[in-house]
Amino acid sequence: MSKKFIYLLIVTITLALIGFVFIQFYWINSAITLKEEEFFRDVKSSLYTVAGKLERIESMKQIKEFQENQQLYREKAAQLYNPDHPQSLDSTSVFEKDGVHYHINEKVRTSKEGSLYQKTVESVAHNGNSEVHVRIGYQGNINTNDSVLSYQQNEKRLMLDGMLASLYQTNRYKPILERIEPKMLDSLLKQELKNRNIDAKYEFAIFDYDGNTLLADSTNNINKILQSSFYTQLFPSETIEIPHFLSIYFPNQKNYLIQTMSGILWISVLLLMIIVFAFTFTILTIFKQKKLSEIKNDFISNMTHELKTPISTISLACEALNDTDLCTNNEAKSNYVNMINQENKRLGMLVESVLKSATWDKAELKLKVENIDIHSTIKDVIKNISIQITSRNGIISEELNADKHFIEGDKVHITNVLYNLLDNANKYTINQPIIKVQTENYKDGILIQVIDNGIGLKKENINKIFDKFYRVPTGNVHNVKGFGLGLNYVKAIVEKHGGEIQVISDLGKGSCFKIYLPISHVRK
């Protein structure tokens, strides 16, 4: 797969993903807008309903009061107009005419037998003369239309008639705060909003036509309540009264609407994250596969070169043995045979290392566990590799400070691990190699450090050196042979022993490989 095609694929998928994200956000914004419109309609409808209920409640109160007063009127009127109703009346009047003072007293005593009427008139002149006239009789037989008592009865009838005539209008035009109870208004608002599945926190207030606050359940947001788009007129059927308005405000309206849509929004975000993750994973996989392809090609090229050298050497040795002149020389013949034998072993080791690499990180790798003296193993490895180091005028030293240096492990594999680390320290040092091996006890195990003054590692290479087939770019160091399997093998063996490996390195200053191996091996 060419780079051009990969980049074209990435650009295409990226544009498609950006388009999908744009559509997703557009859909979410449209859904929120629709939810806001629905919320607006429901709140306005609730306010209209509350205003209508308030008007009906007041009308019912007025009708009830009218009916109660009408009943009282009927009872009083029955007492005034019903002659059979037992009653007692008493009236007194005083006035002066032509210099004579008159004192008139009228009484009516009513019983089941009838009404007894008594009228007493006392006159007193300036000269002191006085007269008393008494008139007694049944009311049915005596004309009392010109009496003071009759006048007072007519006044009472007119007063009751006027009271009933003006009762309804008097109650109708009371002050607005006397016509509305705050608790009842709050209860109606809650009920109507609940009927429309709205349980958001709200604040309400009543304003007059000029915007003056007449009633408010909270003064914290009074200006926002006044400017709210959720309002309605109270008692709209009144034509001669100054209008009053009920307004309601939701402090957390935006958050409430988002919460009501949280399920759909979370699903949308989750799907979007899954798609972005899948896209990212796909791109990373493409680059990883491309890199693996490059590593594979490099490995094949390097392996071909490594295998070609012993094959060429064997081929040349075979040609030399076919020479009749050389065959007579036993010493030369023996050298060529030994050369063929060594190169054959080398070729076998190369092939075996490639074949075994498939089992390093799998359960098929079995360890032959025994009691190992790490210090003794380190000394043996240093003795074998010191020839290569001293040939470059290098120095290799040891500081074996661990008191407990016996562990349970596979001696062959542990030896190979140490050899790989020391061989790398030698190969990746440009000038005179200076290598140090240190040991110390750490926790319930032993810590081995291999320190060199080699070319070091870049930060971006440190986490990759243990990958299979990965080879660090060597810069000015040439002819460094290998398959990129050494450190991968080292890590696999250390982990099989239940240990850990860590590398600390500075570019151009050298590296330090730290291996921790537990004393007691846990079989896996």
Side-chain angles (χ1 to χ4, degrees), residues 464-478:
K464 301 176 183 179
I465 60 174
F466 297 107
D467 295 342
K468 188 180 292 187
F469 306 128
Y470 181 81
R471 301 188 68 209
V472 179
T474 56
N476 294 327
V477 180
H478 302 284

Side-chain angles (χ1 to χ4, degrees), residues 39 190 193-194 196-202 250 256 260:
F39 181 79
K190 285 183 179 178
L193 292 174
K194 185 178 179 181
R196 292 164 176 81
N197 298 319
I198 299 176
D199 57 356
K201 181 183 178 182
Y202 64 87
F250 296 89
Y256 170 76
T260 57

Side-chain angles (χ1 to χ4, degrees), residues 425 428-430 434 452-456 506-511:
Y428 290 98
T429 302
I430 299 174
I434 300 175
D452 63 60
N453 62 333
I455 61 175
D506 289 328
L507 187 63
K509 296 182 179 180
S511 303

Side-chain angles (χ1 to χ4, degrees), residues 356-369:
K356 285 185 176 181
S357 67
T359 62
W360 289 343
D361 54 353
K362 296 182 180 179
E364 286 84 351
L365 178 61
K366 301 296 182 181
L367 300 179
K368 186 179 179 180
V369 180

